[in-house]
Amino acid sequence: MQSLLETFCLLDGSVLNVAYHEARVKQSLELAFPIALMVNNILREAARLGATSGRWRASITYSSHGIERIQIVPYIAPRIETLLLTPIAENFYCKKWANRDRLNSFKSPLPPGVEPLFTLLEQPTDTTFTNIIVERHNTLYTPESTLLAGTKRQKLLAERTVQPIPMIATDLYAFEWIHLINAMLNPGEVVLHTSAVRA
């Protein structure tokens, strides 16, 4: 089996949303995995690095054989100015694979600040590193279709902060704003007007 990747938000010495990460790891491996092992390793490495205050990205590469690598780095939200609608023929990232070469093959030819927004069967899904939320009249929605079931998206759905809706790509322009979300990003942190979506 290919190696998998799980990215946690480490905020002021605490690992966030552990239950949602546990659910995804279990689904990815198709077996139970001691998530406490991941969390304890993150906290041990954070203490060694002095990463006990502020927001840090903790990435763990793993497989059914166990943890392979841990990396903890300070987190700075990216600057995204344009979303480029990018059709794909299949969902090649239904699991959070550690090998991101295929994602990078879409991203690397683009200029800085331009991010692919993948469409599958004309439905908007994800960027190379986030799920999306759309906003209209201060109400938040998320497309029913995704490539990867993001942990932040799952949390927001469980809390009923966002509503899932069926969409095709052209429906995006009926909304006002697009929020990019992932384990590190909350709604409102990286937000683009829908006029920033290009075909």
Side-chain angles (χ1 to χ4, degrees):
M1 182 182 189
Q2 296 182 51
S3 295
L4 293 153
L5 178 69
E6 197 67 17
T7 302
F8 297 80
C9 182
L10 178 64
L11 183 64
D12 294 331
S14 296
V15 180
L16 304 187
N17 302 328
V18 172
Y20 295 95
H21 288 285
E22 182 176 26
R24 183 165 66 187
V25 168
K26 181 177 180 180
Q27 182 180 39
S28 296
L29 290 177
E30 300 176 3
L31 53 84
F33 188 95
I35 197 71
L37 182 63
M38 288 189 175
V39 172
N40 291 339
N41 274 271
I42 289 171
L43 295 177
R44 189 179 303 115
E45 180 67 3
R48 187 184 72 81
L49 294 173
T52 53
S53 64
R55 182 163 49 165
W56 299 72
R57 184 177 63 206
S59 300
I60 291 188
T61 305
Y62 70 101
S63 71
S64 57
H65 300 295
I67 293 173
E68 299 170 0
R69 181 171 181 256
I70 300 174
Q71 182 182 41
I72 298 178
V73 295
Y75 185 74
I76 300 173
R79 183 184 178 93
I80 306 296
E81 298 172 348
T82 302
L83 295 174
L84 180 66
L85 294 176
T86 304
I88 55 175
E90 61 177 340
N91 183 353
F92 56 84
Y93 205 65
C94 58
K95 294 183 180 182
K96 193 172 175 66
W97 303 114
N99 185 334
R100 291 177 53 87
D101 288 350
R102 193 159 179 191
L103 288 171
N104 293 337
S105 72
F106 291 96
K107 171 71 172 176
S108 58
L110 301 179
V114 180
E115 175 65 24
L117 173 53
F118 296 110
T119 61
L120 181 61
L121 301 176
E122 300 187 3
Q123 299 172 81
T125 60
D126 303 339
T127 74
T128 63
F129 71 108
T130 69
N131 295 131
I132 67 168
I133 287 174
V134 292
E135 178 181 352
R136 181 170 56 204
H137 305 315
N138 298 316
T139 303
L140 302 179
Y141 307 87
T142 188
E144 283 183 343
S145 298
T146 65
L147 299 185
L148 181 71
T151 55
K152 182 63 60 68
R153 181 179 182 274
Q154 295 301 103
K155 179 176 186 290
L156 294 172
L157 287 170
E159 295 171 346
R160 299 188 178 181
T161 303
V162 300
Q163 303 174 44
I165 56 171
M167 294 179 64
I168 59 173
T170 52
D171 292 336
L172 291 169
Y173 301 105
F175 296 86
E176 299 164 284
W177 305 100
I178 297 180
H179 303 250
L180 306 186
I181 61 163
N182 61 22
M184 303 300 304
L185 290 172
N186 293 309
E189 292 192 84
V190 177
V191 186
L192 295 87
H193 192 270
T194 52
S195 61
V197 178
R198 301 279 189 266

